[in-house]
């Protein structure tokens, strides 16, 4: 009996169970468009939301990760800050934004995958 319990307990520990301690953070999709000849990433933010971190990558050597000491307020429907990231044509990008109302609230994460070409932006995630 003790041996069966040990095997079952070990199987649960090795497989893991989702719950409050789950380390996988769900990401909500963000939208990408061109506004005034600039990449504009928008997300379903709420009044009072602040961007607390930004990560943008082209999968190569053009990577940016900013943990903001001073969170940036974002207006509903406005472009999320890209901090003058150098978007180049013919590249594919992944962008992640952590958004929260205050320092004690758990952040919501938004992501966008897209490519730039001569025809504009092609969004890869929806």
């Amino acid at each position: 009996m003790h041996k069966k319990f040990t095997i079952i307990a070990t199987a649960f520990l090795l497989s893991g169970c989702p719950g409050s301690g789950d380390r996988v953070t769900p990401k909500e999709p963000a939208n990408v468009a061109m506004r005034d000849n600039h990449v504009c990433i928008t997300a379903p933010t709420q009044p009072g939301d602040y961007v607390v971190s930004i990560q943008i990558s082209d999968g190569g050597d053009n990577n940016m990760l900013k943990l903001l000491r001073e969170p940036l307020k974002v207006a509903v429907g406005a472009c999320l800050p890209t901090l003058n990231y150098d978007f180049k044509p013919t590249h594919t990008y992944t962008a992640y934004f952590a958004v929260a109302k205050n320092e004690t609230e758990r952040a919501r994460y938004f992501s966008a995958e897209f490519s730039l070409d001569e025809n504009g932006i092609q969004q890869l995630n929806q």
Side-chain angles (χ1 to χ4, degrees), residues 53-126:
S53 73
I54 304 165
Q55 181 177 359
I56 304 173
S57 175
D58 69 355
D61 60 352
N62 193 13
N63 301 305
M64 177 185 73
L65 172 61
K66 294 286 183 185
L67 303 174
L68 303 173
R69 289 180 189 226
E70 301 269 337
L72 299 172
K73 191 168 187 168
V74 61
V76 174
C79 299
L80 296 172
T82 58
L83 305 179
N84 297 317
Y85 183 86
D86 186 22
F87 293 101
K88 297 178 182 174
T90 71
H91 284 78
T92 299
Y93 295 95
T94 303
Y96 296 101
F97 295 87
V99 175
K101 287 210 183 297
N102 56 50
E103 293 174 8
T104 59
E105 179 185 86
R106 188 176 193 153
R108 295 171 34 223
Y109 294 88
F110 297 98
S111 67
E113 294 178 57
F114 59 97
S115 62
L116 291 175
D117 61 24
E118 60 279 349
N119 297 323
I121 292 178
Q122 164 105 26
Q123 185 148 356
L124 305 174
N125 71 326
Q126 294 289 336

Side-chain angles (χ1 to χ4, degrees), residues 2-17:
H2 182 66
K3 186 175 181 178
K4 282 184 181 181
F5 175 76
T6 302
I7 291 172
I8 292 172
T10 303
F12 276 112
L13 289 173
L14 292 176
S15 65
C17 297

